[in-house]
Amino acid sequence: MEINLLKYFTVKRTINAVKVMSSFTLARLIRKPVVWGMPISYSIEPTNHCNLKCPECPSGLGSLTRPLGLLNPDDFKKLIDDICSTGFYVQLFFQGEPFINKNLAGMINYARKKNMYVSISTNGHFINEKNVDTVVKNAPDKLIYSIDGLDEESYQNYRIGGTFEQADTGLRALINKKKELNQKHPYVELQFIVMKQNEHQLDEVLKYGKDVGVDKVVFKTMQISSYENALKFLPSNKKYRRYIIDNGSFRIKGKIKNHCFALWRTSVITWDGKVVPCCFDKDAEYELGLTNGKSFKDVWHSDEYNNFRARILGDRQSVSMCTNCTEGLKVNIFEIEQ
């Protein structure tokens, strides 16, 4: 069973969560950005460097226009100190591969000492028999382990620069060490992006997850950015598509409504302190402020943030990244407990 998140809710965090939900509800009703409280979760980017070259990932493709770099551990600690009284959930990933940052273990431990739930997503290529002791002893609460193919052909068709063998070896080493130490964390979630070249493997993925010993298998729909990639990668089974393809174009399933809970419940901070609205703003196009030398609360309640919220409440489709967003739509993941 996944870790019970209720144990992370102090009185202050609980009151804050109620404020967040109440103000979002009111904002939807009056169509104005009323914001009470602070985010309950954060995505903090350890690095935007990556070792792979996945075709739909701007980090791997080298197409990010913002600088590449590594999160400074002192900056991370200051940020955690600033947000931990009200926020309880930290995703230590955004763009890039988190384990490239050599200070990742210290960041995990610091956030966990502040009674924050820590989640990480990895491609697994930096976990091996030599370092697995260190990885498990400094593990997050949850580790999302991405494997998008159960053989080299299907895996390398998307995870360019990596191998299934490396990912598989790292995952097995991680699970075996966790069992050896009789340790409950990390809760391991095997993530499988369903694509044209691997959709025939879904039953095998469930068997593989059970054999290896992961806690959950998640089938995730693929985000695409071009019609060409839609034709190349989207599976034939429409259940695992988040898009409708029609007349040489594609669009997200479902109606995009003029509201977004993400702008009340969470925030994303890049490695160099840029605050952006959500995980779909990969290139920090809609930068809303900087945390460097500034309280996050000041950024969260700034005119820039509220002006962006007002824009979404008025016409969400006017923001280009929102037209390719799954927030509020049930077209993203399919979870299977092992």
Side-chain angles (χ1 to χ4, degrees):
M1 293 294 291
E2 192 164 358
I3 295 174
N4 182 7
L5 295 180
L6 291 177
K7 72 177 186 178
Y8 295 91
F9 275 87
T10 61
V11 172
K12 190 170 183 178
R13 288 175 180 175
T14 301
I15 293 172
N16 179 70
V18 172
K19 286 181 177 179
V20 168
M21 291 184 284
S22 301
S23 62
F24 174 64
T25 301
L26 180 58
R28 287 181 61 183
L29 288 172
I30 67 174
R31 315 310 302 172
K32 291 182 180 179
V34 179
V35 182
W36 302 325
M38 297 287 289
I40 58 177
S41 69
Y42 295 82
S43 290
I44 303 174
E45 182 180 68
T47 182
N48 54 355
H49 285 283
C50 192
N51 56 307
L52 303 184
K53 299 185 181 298
C54 304
E56 275 291 348
C57 176
S59 292
L61 290 176
S63 62
L64 286 175
T65 59
R66 59 187 174 95
L68 299 179
L70 302 168
L71 174 61
N72 181 290
D74 291 333
D75 291 338
F76 175 78
K77 289 178 180 178
K78 289 177 184 176
L79 180 57
I80 293 297
D81 289 343
D82 193 23
I83 65 177
C84 67
S85 65
T86 51
F88 78 94
Y89 197 119
V90 176
Q91 296 182 121
L92 266 173
F93 61 91
F94 176 29
Q95 297 301 290
E97 166 54 48
F99 280 96
I100 287 177
N101 192 319
K102 304 297 184 185
N103 296 301
L104 184 66
M107 295 176 191
I108 293 169
N109 290 331
Y110 192 80
R112 294 192 79 229
K113 285 177 183 177
K114 297 290 184 176
N115 193 34
M116 300 185 82
Y117 184 94
V118 181
S119 173
I120 287 179
S121 181
T122 181
N123 60 47
H125 282 67
F126 291 88
I127 300 175
N128 52 55
E129 292 286 356
K130 293 181 179 179
N131 68 7
V132 71
D133 284 271
T134 301
V135 171
V136 174
K137 289 177 182 178
N138 299 281
D141 296 279
K142 178 179 179 179
L143 188 69
I144 301 169
Y145 204 101
S146 297
I147 294 182
D148 306 320
L150 296 184
D151 56 54
E152 296 300 348
E153 182 179 0
S154 60
Y155 184 90
Q156 294 182 37
N157 188 60
Y158 186 73
R159 296 283 174 177
I160 297 171
T163 68
F164 170 70
E165 182 182 8
Q166 282 180 284
D168 173 61
T169 300
L171 180 58
R172 292 181 186 274
L174 175 75
I175 298 295
N176 290 339
K177 182 57 64 173
K178 177 184 166 184
K179 290 178 179 177
E180 179 185 316
L181 297 176
N182 194 27
Q183 186 168 300
K184 291 184 178 180
H185 69 280
Y187 179 91
V188 180
E189 179 178 295
L190 175 62
Q191 180 177 279
F192 192 87
I193 301 176
V194 183
M195 293 174 264
K196 184 177 291 185
Q197 76 273 9
N198 66 19
E199 62 180 313
H200 63 285
Q201 297 178 338
L202 300 190
D203 288 339
E204 293 178 54
V205 174
L206 294 176
K207 293 176 183 176
Y208 172 78
K210 188 173 184 179
D211 174 61
V212 174
V214 302
D215 297 292
K216 179 190 286 185
V217 173
V218 168
F219 295 136
K220 186 176 182 181
T221 59
M222 183 179 184
Q223 180 185 3
I224 50 98
S225 58
S226 69
Y227 179 70
E228 291 72 25
N229 276 354
L231 296 180
K232 183 177 181 180
F233 290 110
L234 292 187
S236 58
N237 187 340
K238 294 181 181 180
K239 174 183 176 181
Y240 297 105
R241 290 184 185 183
R242 66 176 74 172
Y243 303 97
I244 295 171
I245 301 176
D246 187 34
N247 294 325
S249 64
F250 65 95
R251 67 182 188 277
I252 204 88
K253 288 180 181 178
K255 183 179 179 181
I256 298 175
K257 299 179 181 179
N258 290 333
H259 57 77
C260 180
F261 189 34
L263 294 174
W264 273 257
R265 66 173 169 81
T266 192
S267 191
V268 178
I269 299 113
T270 66
W271 69 269
D272 52 351
K274 294 183 178 72
V275 179
V276 298
C278 70
C279 62
F280 281 85
D281 191 7
K282 296 170 177 147
D283 224 355
E285 180 182 354
Y286 300 95
E287 181 186 333
L288 301 172
L290 288 169
T291 59
N292 299 345
K294 197 172 185 179
S295 167
F296 182 83
K297 185 176 182 180
D298 292 337
V299 177
W300 183 245
H301 292 285
S302 67
D303 289 341
E304 289 84 356
Y305 229 125
N306 280 330
N307 289 340
F308 188 82
R309 293 184 182 105
R311 183 176 176 184
I312 298 301
L313 290 168
D315 184 10
R316 186 176 167 193
Q317 294 204 56
S318 69
V319 179
S320 59
M321 69 177 180
C322 295
T323 62
N324 197 12
C325 173
T326 56
E327 177 69 24
L329 304 176
K330 296 179 181 179
V331 296
N332 192 14
I333 58 174
F334 303 83
E335 302 178 351
I336 298 96
E337 291 281 352
Q338 292 293 88

